[in-house]
Amino acid sequence: MNKMGTITGFTFKNKVKTKSFVVTTIVLALLISIGLNVPYFITLFNGGSSGGGAAGSNPVNIGLLSAGQPEVSEKLEKFSSAQGDQAYRFIADGTKDEAALKADAESGLTDGYLKFEAAQGQEFPQPILYSTEEVSPQIIASIEAALQSVKLDVVVKDVLTAEQKELINTPVKVSEQSLSAEGAGAEAGSENGMSPINYIVVYLLIILLFTSTMMTGNMIASEITAEKSSRIMEILITSVSPLSQMFGKIIGIFMVGMLQIGIFGAVVAGNVLLPHNRDVLSDFSLNLSDVNIAVIVYGLIFYILGYFLYAVMFAAIGSMVSRTEELGQAVLPITMLSLVSFYIAIFSIATPNILLLKVASFIPFTSPTAILVRIGAGVAPTWEILVSLAILVVSILIFGWLAAKIYRTGVLMYGKRPTFKELFKAMKAYKI
């Protein structure tokens, strides 16, 4: 056990001091920072910080041309004012004609103006928005919603009560409930589906699990193959048992991966908490307090278990290869397996109840990502999560035992890559 701790500490210190680890971590941290600040950079390039406007964070000022449609203009202004703080603001001045409103927009006093033109055969006029800059689709949608309410008010006049008008304007939302008994444990979560912020968290966790597993797995395999090809392995094996070497390397590189994830997590948290990014989150109705803690906790557990399952397989393959040039081809089956797991989760994230995702939740190679999607959507009952965890743990023990036997045999075999028949024959000589 002491020797395994020595190998773990040596592997961790050796890896975090390498130039490739430092450069990769810094580059990825910079890419994450740039990606999280892209909306803010777009705002800056569109001139948002120098006075707001159509593309900025300040309210868009829109003049109202009331000539010809004073009733519609008055109702629209009252409706928008009653909505409170909005991304846009109507400025009504009955004394100004279209030329004056156009001059205001061109001089920067407003961002544009809304004009109502009579529509042939229709009681409600056709609204046209003239603007100096492109107005965001969110603001256009808000103005259309306001006009829809005003249209109803103008058309029905006093026929309906205020409550009836409000009832008509209230959007109809379909709530989904599972009929199966197995979904009873998850019905509270599935009632509203996956919230946008949890959708993003699950998406990021899947990408993190895939990239981290591939990076650290290849690190383990290449480390073992390099030691074997340089004949250092022959010296190491006389002082440290093969099992201590294998699990020491796996745990050491696991600690390297956790350190990297911790750094990336701090970078993400630091960027998300910046004031301008908080405004962006609020614009998209994303609230960090809505993050489902269960998704984070289960995500971490499945990440750790998924890592160890793939890590023992990478270690076994690495021990069978004598030259680093052959490593890429040797680990291809594991890479394909991980890609299948990644794509099943990514392409099923919008449909968490499909049969493929349910089956994948109980297959150890795909369960870390598949069950995570279902947990995020709130459609995975507790018993399914526990069964998936149990299968994964048992699989790690089985593949860990098998990998230990292959490793102990493989590190002492040189020359061409051994066939499975040769490997099994050599494995019979060792008992673990």
Side-chain angles (χ1 to χ4, degrees):
M1 186 60 74
N2 288 336
K3 290 182 178 177
M4 186 188 296
T6 305
I7 293 288
T8 301
F10 175 79
T11 304
F12 176 76
K13 290 176 184 175
N14 191 37
K15 281 295 173 188
V16 296
K17 288 179 181 175
T18 57
K19 191 181 290 183
S20 61
F21 174 80
V22 175
V23 171
T24 303
T25 305
I26 292 174
V27 169
L28 288 177
L30 284 174
L31 289 175
I32 291 171
S33 298
I34 293 171
L36 290 172
N37 288 283
V38 162
Y40 178 64
F41 293 147
I42 292 173
T43 303
L44 283 182
F45 284 120
N46 286 337
S49 63
S50 59
S57 56
N58 294 331
V60 174
N61 295 315
I62 301 173
L64 270 178
L65 183 61
S66 56
Q69 298 291 340
E71 182 187 7
V72 175
S73 298
E74 183 184 352
K75 287 180 180 297
L76 182 60
E77 185 192 8
K78 283 184 178 178
F79 180 86
S80 298
S81 300
Q83 299 302 307
D85 189 20
Q86 296 248 21
Y88 67 93
R89 179 174 54 195
F90 286 124
I91 300 174
D93 188 345
T95 62
K96 291 187 176 180
D97 58 8
E98 184 173 1
L101 291 175
K102 185 177 180 182
D104 287 348
E106 289 174 345
S107 64
L109 289 176
T110 63
D111 296 293
Y113 63 93
L114 188 65
K115 179 182 178 182
F116 297 99
E117 290 190 350
Q120 189 174 7
Q122 294 185 20
E123 187 176 350
F124 195 76
Q126 173 64 44
I128 302 174
L129 178 62
Y130 295 93
S131 62
T132 54
E133 297 177 18
E134 185 179 355
V135 180
S136 73
Q138 290 84 2
I139 293 177
I140 295 287
S142 299
I143 295 174
E144 287 175 344
L147 283 167
Q148 190 66 34
S149 179
V150 171
K151 181 180 179 181
L152 176 68
D153 199 24
V154 169
V155 173
V156 301
K157 292 187 169 55
D158 297 328
V159 177
L160 300 177
T161 64
E163 290 77 14
Q164 289 172 325
K165 292 176 185 175
E166 184 179 356
L167 182 62
I168 291 174
N169 284 322
T170 303
V172 178
K173 187 176 181 182
V174 177
S175 296
E176 186 181 2
Q177 291 282 348
S178 174
L179 287 174
S180 61
E182 64 180 18
E187 61 184 4
S190 63
E191 186 175 352
N192 297 319
M194 195 186 301
S195 66
I197 190 72
N198 285 318
Y199 183 93
I200 294 172
V201 170
V202 170
Y203 201 89
L204 291 176
L205 284 173
I206 292 170
I207 294 174
L208 177 68
L209 182 65
F210 171 72
T211 54
S212 180
T213 302
M214 285 296 97
M215 287 174 64
T216 53
N218 279 292
M219 216 181 284
I220 292 169
S222 60
E223 176 98 359
I224 295 169
T225 303
E227 288 178 355
K228 187 178 171 184
S229 61
S230 62
R231 301 282 179 169
I232 295 176
M233 185 65 74
E234 295 177 4
I235 302 171
L236 289 174
I237 213 156
T238 58
S239 55
V240 184
S241 72
L243 289 184
S244 297
Q245 282 186 43
M246 189 185 84
F247 288 108
K249 290 181 191 302
I250 289 174
I251 296 171
I253 292 179
F254 167 71
M255 291 167 63
V256 174
M258 292 302 287
L259 174 66
Q260 209 167 32
I261 289 172
I263 293 171
F264 295 153
V267 170
V268 170
N271 280 283
V272 168
L273 292 177
L274 289 174
H276 58 265
N277 282 331
R278 285 185 180 179
D279 294 338
V280 172
L281 288 175
S282 61
D283 287 345
F284 286 96
S285 302
L286 298 175
N287 193 343
L288 293 177
S289 61
D290 293 337
V291 173
N292 189 350
I293 301 300
V295 176
I296 303 289
V297 174
Y298 280 122
L300 186 61
I301 294 172
F302 277 102
Y303 164 75
I304 294 172
L305 295 177
Y307 164 81
F308 278 102
L309 179 64
Y310 278 95
V312 294
M313 293 194 297
F314 272 109
I317 295 294
S319 69
M320 294 166 58
V321 179
S322 301
R323 296 190 303 170
T324 51
E325 296 84 1
E326 299 175 351
L327 187 61
Q329 186 182 359
V331 299
L332 188 60
I334 308 177
T335 304
M336 296 301 294
L337 205 57
S338 183
L339 275 172
V340 168
S341 171
F342 174 74
Y343 283 123
I344 285 177
I346 287 294
F347 290 133
S348 305
I349 198 167
T351 51
N353 264 324
I354 61 172
L355 182 61
L356 174 64
L357 208 57
K358 290 180 180 178
V359 173
S361 299
F362 300 104
I363 299 174
F365 305 112
T366 56
S367 62
T369 53
I371 195 71
L372 195 59
V373 172
R374 301 188 65 221
I375 293 171
V379 297
T382 305
W383 73 266
E384 286 191 8
I385 300 173
L386 296 177
V387 169
S388 180
L389 276 172
I391 293 173
L392 196 51
V393 170
V394 172
S395 301
I396 291 171
L397 295 175
I398 294 172
F399 280 93
W401 172 80
L402 191 60
K405 294 202 77 166
I406 293 173
Y407 185 91
R408 190 166 184 171
T409 307
V411 291
L412 296 175
M413 298 179 75
Y414 286 91
K416 72 175 183 65
R417 203 185 316 160
T419 63
F420 284 108
K421 186 177 179 182
E422 294 169 341
L423 193 63
F424 287 138
K425 189 177 178 181
M427 284 165 58
K428 288 181 180 177
Y430 298 101
K431 292 184 178 179
I432 297 175

